[in-house]
C-alpha cells in the first residue's frame, strides 16, 4: 500500500506533527518526498520490459494505470511509455 505520514512517523518512533515539522524545516513536504521516491522507483521499474504498466502502477500504490500515467506525466513531463 501507499505509505502515510502517520505510518512513517510511527515507524520512526516520532509524532506525525514532528515529522511534518521536520520536513517543513527542510523546505519539504511528505507528498513531495513520496512523489520523489515514486518517480525514482517508476524509472527503475519502467526499464524492466517484463513488467506491464498495470503492474508498475500497482507496485507504486496506484489503484489504476490511468492515475499512474497522469502522475508520471506530471512528474516528468512525458508518458511512462516513452520512458520504458
Amino acid at each position: 500500500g501507499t505509505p502515510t505520514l502517520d505510518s512513517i512517523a510511527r515507524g520512526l518512533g516520532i509524532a506525525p506533527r514532528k515529522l511534518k515539522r521536520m520536513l517543513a524545516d527542510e523546505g519539504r513536504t511528505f507528498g513531495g518526498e513520496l512523489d520523489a521516491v515514486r518517480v525514482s522507483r517508476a524509472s527503475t521499474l519502467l526499464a524492466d520490459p517484463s513488467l506491464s504498466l498495470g503492474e508498475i502502477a500497482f507496485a507504486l500504490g496506484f489503484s489504476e494505470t490511468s492515475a499512474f500515467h497522469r502522475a508520471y506525466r506530471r512528474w516528468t513531463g512525458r508518458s511512462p511509455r516513452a520512458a520504458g
Side-chain angles (χ1 to χ4, degrees), residues 26-59:
E26 296 279 330
R28 299 175 173 185
T29 65
F30 180 76
E33 293 302 304
L34 181 58
D35 283 350
V37 170
R38 280 177 158 176
V39 73
S40 175
R41 185 74 178 127
S43 296
T44 301
L45 295 173
L46 286 165
D48 185 343
S50 70
L51 296 174
S52 71
L53 283 181
E55 290 169 318
I56 293 169
F58 181 77

